[in-house]
Amino acid sequence: MEMKNSSKWTPIMDSFLAGTFSGTCSTTLFQPFELLKTRLQMLSANQSRPVGMLRIAVDVVRTESVFALWRGLCPSLYRTVPGIGFYFSALHSLTHHLGSAYPLPAAESMIFGATARSIAALGTIPLSVVKTRYESGVFPYRSVINALSHIYETEGLKGLCRGLSATLLRDAPFSAFYLMFYNQLKFFVHRDGRIQDPNNPSVFFLCGVVAGCLTSVITHPPDVMKTYMQLYPDQFSKMQQTILHILKVSSVFFLSLPFLSFYVC
């Protein structure tokens, strides 16, 4: 009986550990881009003249330091490490127990991805608020614990869940579309037959990059709303209010996309 239970839970634990390890590596590597994205969205919220991502990076290094580009790394790790671990664990369970075929059909990929990501987002929303505020450089928090206690004391439990609706509107579709794109790309590569070794890790990496780029473009608007609501809760307390403000300030909703702002100098 013990052998059976151990065998049953090992794949889930493996998924959790793999998720936490990959989350730690990717978060540490890409944290500077997260910070720059938050700063770009801050400028948009304040109706400032659009500047390029490179200019913001130079200003951060010049006025603060090179290491300031990793501001917010601690709350990012506190959020990402368990978050991605829970995501992969939930995804493995859903796929193993409810999946009808391998690779997963497009509809199942979207449903399982959205469900797993929503579970992770709900559990880590307070750390998401702290992460965004850390990256802004506006809030003088001394530590993650200090930030959480200060937000709770001044804004209550609601403050720890700022932007939850926008976060779910971003994260659930992101994982839904990402997993669908990723699985369909892998299926296409295997079916096409032009690549000699379709199981090569580099092929999976390229499928992941393409799926990530497509999904990021689709889910970027809720990410902008999330940042506004978490940084300026008094001004943007409701999602509808936030959307109307963005549409009013920008003639095109996607104006605050980081890769487009890079060219608007």
Side-chain angles (χ1 to χ4, degrees), residues 163-198:
L164 176 59
S165 55
T167 298
L168 291 175
L169 193 61
R170 177 199 65 173
D171 285 2
F174 183 95
S175 290
F177 282 109
Y178 177 85
L179 194 60
M180 185 268 291
F181 284 141
Y182 180 67
N183 284 331
Q184 293 304 305
L185 284 169
K186 288 197 303 180
F187 177 73
F188 173 78
V189 168
H190 279 79
R191 187 184 62 180
D192 186 59
R194 297 182 184 181
I195 299 178
Q196 294 181 351
D197 185 10

Side-chain angles (χ1 to χ4, degrees), residues 3-91:
M3 291 280 291
K4 185 177 180 180
N5 289 339
S6 176
S7 176
K8 178 181 178 180
W9 288 106
T10 296
I12 297 179
M13 182 58 68
D14 288 344
S15 297
F16 181 86
L17 293 176
T20 55
F21 178 75
S22 63
T24 300
C25 295
S26 61
T27 299
T28 304
L29 182 62
F30 294 112
Q31 179 59 31
F33 295 102
E34 282 289 315
L35 181 137
L36 296 176
K37 181 192 71 173
T38 299
R39 299 286 176 96
L40 281 167
Q41 293 172 353
M42 280 179 59
L43 292 176
S44 176
N46 294 324
Q47 303 184 31
S48 302
R49 187 179 69 85
V51 297
M53 185 169 64
L54 181 60
R55 183 177 299 179
I56 292 179
V58 172
D59 287 342
V60 170
V61 173
R62 182 184 301 160
T63 58
E64 301 175 55
S65 70
V66 173
F67 298 106
L69 291 171
W70 276 266
R71 183 189 298 276
L73 178 60
C74 285
S76 292
L77 289 174
Y78 290 156
R79 181 199 65 153
T80 303
V81 171
I84 294 185
F86 288 135
Y87 167 73
F88 275 104
S89 299
L91 184 61

Side-chain angles (χ1 to χ4, degrees), residues 87 91 136 229 232 238 245:
Y87 167 73
L91 184 61
S136 71
M229 296 173 74
Y232 309 105
K238 298 180 179 180
H245 173 82

